[in-house]
Amino acid sequence: AQKVTQAQTEISVVEKEDVTLDCVYETRDTTYYLFWYKQPPSGELVFLIRRNSFDEQNEISGRYSWNFQKSTSSFNFTITASQVVDSAVYFCALSEANSGNTPLVFGKGTRLSVIA
Amino acid sequence: ETGVTQTPRHLVMGMTNKKSLKCEQHLGHNAMYWYKQSAKKPLELMFVYNFKEQTENNSVPSRFSPECPNSSHLFLHLHTLQPEDSALYLCASSQNFLPGLAGESSYEQYFGPGTRLTVT
C-alpha cells in the first residue's frame, strides 16, 4: 500500500529564511512517481514537480529545490530565501505505476506561513 | 478560458436540496478526477474518468453521483447531503490516466480552484 507522511503540520518562518518541508513515503513498487503541489489561499492546487523513482538527481528551480533520497524514502522540498508569496499549504503525493488504476495519494500537507 | 475551471466557487445547500458541481478543462486532457478536501484530512480521491469511462470509485456514498458527458466536462450531482459532506471539492484533469502513456509528463494532474460546499 502506498502512503505519504508529512510530519510538519505547520511551519512559520520570517521572510528570507530558508525552509525545508519534509516528505516520507511508503511503497512496495519499484516504479513510482513523487509530486509536490502548492495550494495557495485561493484553493487551487498548483503542480510544482514530478520525479520518477529511477531519477534520484536533485533538482533546483529558482528558489525551489528538491532532495530525493530513496535510501530514506524521502522527497524533501526546500525554499531558499522565502517570500510572503510562498505562504501556502504544500502537498507531497505518490503514485505507483504498476498497480492498475493509479490514483495520486497525498500527504496531509504542510501549512507554510512566511512572515514579513 | 484556460486550465481547469469549476462552478460554482461557493455553494450553500440544505440537506434536502439537489445541486450539481461543474468542472471544465480546456487542456485537451483525457482523464478527469473529483477530490474531496476536508479540514485536517488528506485529499480524498472520489471518482476518476478516463476517456469518459469511470475507472475508479473510492467507496463514495451514492448521494454523490458523477457524470462525464465528454472528456472536457465533469459533473458531480449532489442530493440529500449531510453536514459532514461540507468540504472543498476539487476537480483535476490529466492528459493520460496512467504514466508511461505518451510520456511521463502527460500524467500530471492539473487542478481547478475548487467549490467550497457548505451543507446546512
Side-chain angles (χ1 to χ4, degrees):
Chain A
Q2 41 187 340
K3 182 181 177 182
V4 176
T5 301
Q6 293 180 257
Q8 303 149 309
T9 305
E10 296 189 33
I11 301 176
S12 288
V13 298
V14 177
E15 205 171 20
K16 298 184 183 178
E17 285 185 354
D18 298 347
V19 59
T20 296
L21 310 181
D22 298 333
C23 174
V24 175
Y25 61 92
E26 295 177 28
T27 178
R28 294 177 185 169
D29 263 7
T30 55
T31 303
Y32 52 89
Y33 297 83
L34 295 163
F35 303 79
W36 275 96
Y37 282 85
K38 173 183 180 180
Q39 187 177 37
S42 60
E44 179 177 346
L45 269 79
V46 178
F47 166 76
L48 296 178
I49 189 172
R50 178 201 75 251
R51 174 67 71 219
N52 75 52
S53 52
F54 299 109
D55 182 4
E56 284 194 75
Q57 194 170 12
N58 292 329
E59 182 156 338
I60 299 174
S61 176
R63 295 183 298 107
Y64 294 172
S65 62
W66 291 270
N67 183 2
F68 178 26
Q69 300 262 356
K70 287 181 76 170
S71 60
T72 55
S73 298
S74 65
F75 186 43
N76 295 338
F77 173 31
T78 298
I79 301 175
T80 303
S82 59
Q83 300 175 2
V84 173
V85 294
D86 296 327
S87 297
V89 181
Y90 290 86
F91 291 93
C92 181
L94 166 71
S95 179
E96 295 172 340
N98 299 317
S99 60
N101 292 340
T102 311
L104 277 178
V105 172
F106 286 83
K108 292 187 177 181
T110 297
R111 181 176 299 278
L112 173 65
S113 298
V114 181
I115 304 165
Chain B
E1 290 211 58
T2 58
V4 181
T5 59
Q6 289 186 243
T7 55
R9 293 295 309 276
H10 300 273
L11 178 63
V12 179
M13 59 186 289
M15 290 190 285
T16 57
N17 291 158
K18 289 185 181 181
K19 297 286 184 184
S20 295
L21 309 184
K22 179 183 176 182
C23 175
E24 184 173 1
Q25 58 94 1
H26 309 268
L27 301 168
H29 288 170
N30 298 309
M32 297 187 76
Y33 312 77
W34 277 118
Y35 286 87
K36 175 183 178 183
Q37 186 178 28
S38 306
K40 302 187 187 300
K41 276 189 170 184
L43 274 160
E44 301 172 69
L45 178 67
M46 299 175 72
F47 300 103
V48 180
Y49 277 83
N50 192 35
F51 289 94
K52 301 186 296 179
E53 297 295 321
Q54 186 173 309
T55 60
E56 188 87 4
N57 175 348
N58 279 354
S59 303
V60 179
S62 59
R63 57 185 183 269
F64 295 92
S65 174
E67 178 190 359
C68 188
N70 55 61
S71 292
S72 299
H73 293 86
L74 185 65
F75 295 90
L76 187 62
H77 303 300
L78 316 171
H79 63 97
T80 59
L81 294 192
Q82 305 297 312
E84 60 263 30
D85 296 322
S86 299
L88 180 67
Y89 288 84
L90 290 159
C91 174
S93 71
S94 63
Q95 178 63 45
N96 292 295
F97 177 57
L98 291 174
L101 298 176
E104 291 178 1
S105 62
S106 62
Y107 182 55
E108 276 91 78
Q109 293 183 24
Y110 293 86
F111 286 78
T115 295
R116 174 71 61 187
L117 173 67
T118 303
V119 181
T120 61

